[in-house]
Amino acid sequence: EIVLTQSPGTLSLSPGERATLSCRASQSVSSSYLAWYQQKPGQAPRLLVYGASSRATGIPDRFSGSGSGADFTLTISRLEPEDFAVYYCLQYGNLYSFGQGTKLEIK
Amino acid sequence: QLQLQESGPGLVKPSETLSLTCTVSGGSISSSSYYWGWIRQPPGKGLEWIGSIYYSGSTYYNASLKSRLTISIDTSKNHFSLKLSSVTAADTAVYYCATDHSGSTPFDPWGQGTLVTVSS
């Protein structure tokens, strides 16, 4: 089983700032099968990025994913008020496993 | 555009079996392009993949749940189902179904989720 560790657990930033979220895998993720999701209270998760760096349909270009092997990053270039939420990474190269989440909160 | 909807009892007694169904609309569950999955989220906690099924009936289970888990598919009704036996309070969660577009996008879209509480 591939274990994903996300950091930080909580990130406190202001609108307009840049957010950098990390996801580290216990072993290499095959074919960069790494995705990022955003979840707001009471809602199902929303796919943001798949294949480590491809934005899903309708996702603004302020969201970008990068990385390979066992280290991946989600960057939000300029935070909008609606971006404050919980973010999860998912690996889907060897069955599936989620990271524990990063809460992005308003400072 | 695919849409998924979970259904089933919201309350299950300890030691009994939790049963949920996910109905798919806007596309065929028999398509070779998709895997169909279940994910759960205990209140205030993170996401946990439960298991997935292919249209052929091939199943893939989370090892931690495998001994209690059965996922099945009914192509005539365009739905797939989850059965989790011998439940405890630790199985209380929002249960989501979602689709994985094989070779492309993982879990997208998702159902709205359904809360299942295990309590006597």
Side-chain angles (χ1 to χ4, degrees), chain A residues 37 39 43-44 50 88 96 98, chain B residues 41 46 49 96 100 107 110-111:
Chain A
Y37 290 83
Q39 188 179 34
Q43 297 183 14
Y50 64 96
Y88 294 95
Y96 304 87
F98 288 94
Chain B
Q41 185 171 36
W49 172 68
Y96 296 99
D100 177 325
F107 298 132
W110 296 54

Side-chain angles (χ1 to χ4, degrees), chain A residues 33 35 37 39 42-47 50 88 90 92 95-100, chain B residues 35 39 41 45-49 52 60-61 96 100 104-108 110-111:
Chain A
Y33 283 157
Y37 290 83
Q39 188 179 34
Q43 297 183 14
R46 172 194 184 197
L47 178 66
Y50 64 96
Y88 294 95
L90 164 75
Y92 53 106
L95 297 182
Y96 304 87
S97 49
F98 288 94
Q100 83 279 16
Chain B
Y35 287 80
I39 300 102
Q41 185 171 36
K45 297 188 178 180
L47 300 165
E48 178 183 34
W49 172 68
S52 295
Y60 309 85
Y61 293 161
Y96 296 99
D100 177 325
S104 180
T105 55
F107 298 132
D108 180 57
W110 296 54

